[in-house]
Amino acid sequence: MFAIHIRIALDALAAHKLRTALTTLGMTIGVGAVVTIVALGAGARHTVSEDVRSAGTNLIRVDAGNFTRGGEESNIASGLGAASTLTVEDADAIGQIAGVKSYAAGVKLRGWVAAGTARVYTQVLGTDVAFPVMNGWSFRRGRFFTSSDVSDAAAVAVVGSVARDQLFGPDVNPVGREIRIRDVPFRITGLAAGSDDDQMEMVFVPYTALQRLLGIGHL
């Protein structure tokens, strides 16, 4: 019976060649379209995943929470990160959490950085020795500051490539040169290179040195 059914089907297909050809063409286009859409979707997901991963999905930034001041009547919000509750002990505790590979305490300042007659308004980030490894940096010149620099609150700094261009000019080796942050001199130990353009506009110092400069003890 199966052979008879096959023969009948083949006879029907042969008797209606145009209909058979159009049906076959439609099935081919339909299957091809589905396969193409699935492949494009899978490729797009892979591309987006790689882009997001390269942007740092394994990095988590912890800021002090929002708080209000002025009492119940005023209730003035000071904004996210305005609280002064995070401490170095908190950073150390985060570093002890299972799954945390590296951590770096942080203090921020946005202000003028000067080198000679050149001045640039940028962000100064006080951080710790693990920061370049966490962000996949390399160094075109010099090195990052050391753990002893952090413990001593040494007045040393690392500049991004864009900050170097603005302060000293392109292709200049800034290592050993001096910059001033709030009129306090810092000696440059390294020129960083990384994929984050915002970071390359910044100046990096030991967080302890920036705490001392700002007169604070929190992160």
Side-chain angles (χ1 to χ4, degrees), residues 141-157:
R141 301 279 187 173
R143 57 166 179 80
F144 204 63
F145 43 80
T146 64
S147 56
S148 61
D149 291 329
V150 175
S151 60
D152 295 339
V156 293

Side-chain angles (χ1 to χ4, degrees), residues 27-42:
M27 293 174 61
T28 303
I29 293 175
V31 173
V34 171
V35 172
T36 301
I37 291 173
V38 171
L40 288 174

